[in-house]
Amino acid sequence: LIAYPLPSQHALVLTFEAISNRSYAVEGRTPIETADWTNLVVVPPAATNRIIQATNLIQDFTSRFYRLGVRPE
């Protein structure tokens, strides 16, 4: 999972390569010690490999944590 900022839009672009026939979830939480993980993007399976990009707005977070998971099929 790669994240790069879009400061003018107060956002992060999250990018990863999705392998064919697999489902994924990008999750985030703030702060890492206490908050539950929340699905930000759920990517359903597809027949081909592909690059996924999702934009996540940055609000008044001092920090935010992200993770990428493969979802069970």
Side-chain angles (χ1 to χ4, degrees):
L1 181 64
I2 299 170
Y4 62 90
L6 294 174
S8 64
Q9 297 177 19
H10 302 286
L12 281 177
V13 176
L14 306 169
T15 304
F16 68 95
E17 182 178 4
I19 305 301
S20 65
N21 303 313
R22 295 199 178 169
S23 178
Y24 297 88
V26 176
E27 299 175 319
R29 74 182 189 182
T30 309
I32 195 160
E33 299 87 12
T34 58
D36 292 329
W37 288 100
T38 302
N39 283 341
L40 303 174
V41 178
V42 175
V43 179
T48 60
N49 294 354
R50 66 245 184 247
I51 300 296
I52 303 296
Q53 286 191 326
T55 302
N56 186 244
L57 295 178
I58 301 169
Q59 298 174 357
D60 295 329
F61 304 128
T62 55
S63 60
R64 183 155 198 175
F65 300 88
Y66 298 92
R67 70 180 181 184
L68 174 65
V70 177
R71 296 172 56 95
E73 297 186 37

